[in-house]
């Protein structure tokens, strides 16, 4: 069995990049959680889904890089990549993701307001008219009740 140092070195570098990608995905997930504010049960489900995706990515990494052979340096390199990302890049990328999310949500909010505004005004107009109709019906039955008492007394 021949040892291919260059292939192992490339696998090490790719594993570091995958580790950094996992760290970036984690920051994206943190920002998503900050904006979505999930319930406790939904939080558990999201965490499970997150870790399933991470395991899938890492499994694909092992299959592509080492042919499915568990190599210690691949795990170490991925851990180095994650730690490098978390210590040096996480604050910048998290801030960037946060501002992008906020910008997208503000933009969507404005679009929804522009689309919904005519409907809000028409719904408000319709509600006012329906209130007047119910008020007239209530007054009508109140008056009918008065006359019913008067008619029933004469007998």
């Amino acid at each position: 069995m021949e040892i291919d140092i260059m292939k192992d070195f490339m696998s090490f570098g790719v594993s570091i990049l995958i580790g950094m990608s996992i760290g970036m995905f984690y920051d994206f997930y943190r920002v998503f959680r900050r904006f979505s504010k999930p319930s406790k049960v939904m939080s558990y489900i999201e965490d499970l889904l997150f870790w399933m995706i991470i395991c899938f990515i890492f499994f694909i990494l092992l299959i592509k890089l080492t042919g499915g052979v568990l190599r210690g340096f691949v795990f170490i390199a991925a851990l180095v990549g994650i730690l490098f990302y978390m210590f040096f890049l996480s604050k910048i990328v998290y801030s960037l993701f946060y501002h992008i999310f906020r910008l997208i949500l503000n933009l969507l909010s404005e679009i929804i307001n522009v689309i919904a505004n005519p409907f809000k005004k028409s719904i408000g107009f319709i509600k006012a008219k329906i209130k007047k109709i119910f008020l007239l019906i209530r007054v009508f039955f109140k008056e009918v009740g008065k006359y019913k008492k008067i008619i029933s007394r004469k007998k």
Side-chain angles (χ1 to χ4, degrees):
M1 177 159 94
E2 186 178 310
I3 298 174
D4 190 5
I5 301 293
M6 196 59 175
K7 184 178 178 187
D8 287 347
F9 184 70
M10 291 295 289
S11 296
F12 189 81
V14 171
S15 296
I16 289 174
L17 291 175
I18 293 293
M20 292 173 68
S21 300
I22 289 171
M24 190 178 294
F25 186 64
Y26 177 69
D27 275 346
F28 179 81
Y29 176 64
R30 283 180 25 199
V31 171
F32 174 76
R33 291 276 302 259
R34 183 171 180 181
F35 281 99
S36 68
K37 295 180 175 68
S39 67
K40 204 170 198 174
V41 172
M42 197 62 188
S43 177
Y44 291 137
I45 293 170
E46 288 174 357
D47 287 345
L48 180 66
L49 184 63
F50 171 78
W51 285 111
M52 287 173 60
I53 291 170
I54 295 299
C55 288
F56 179 74
I57 290 170
F58 206 74
F59 177 74
I60 296 298
L61 165 79
L62 286 174
I63 296 294
K64 295 287 183 182
L65 289 180
T66 63
V69 178
L70 298 176
R71 309 277 311 259
F73 72 89
V74 173
F75 291 101
I76 292 170
L79 183 63
V80 166
I82 290 170
L83 292 175
F84 176 80
Y85 175 82
M86 286 302 185
F87 285 118
F88 297 110
L89 300 173
S90 181
K91 287 183 182 178
I92 297 166
V93 175
Y94 180 83
S95 177
L96 181 69
F97 281 156
Y98 176 79
H99 290 300
I100 289 171
F101 258 76
R102 195 172 64 184
L103 179 70
I104 290 171
L105 289 177
N106 287 342
L107 183 65
L108 287 175
S109 176
E110 287 297 321
I111 291 171
I112 289 170
N113 282 339
V114 166
I115 292 171
N117 197 23
F119 295 111
K120 287 179 184 176
K121 289 182 180 179
S122 62
I123 288 172
F125 177 76
I126 292 170
K127 277 185 179 179
K129 294 298 179 185
I130 290 174
K131 274 186 177 180
K132 284 184 181 179
I133 290 171
F134 280 121
L135 181 65
L136 287 173
I137 291 172
R138 190 171 33 192
V139 167
F140 173 76
F141 282 115
K142 198 180 227 182
E143 292 296 320
V144 167
K146 285 180 186 177
Y147 290 117
K148 185 178 176 185
K149 288 179 183 176
I150 292 172
I151 293 172
S152 62
R153 279 189 211 159
K154 289 185 179 182
K155 289 184 181 182

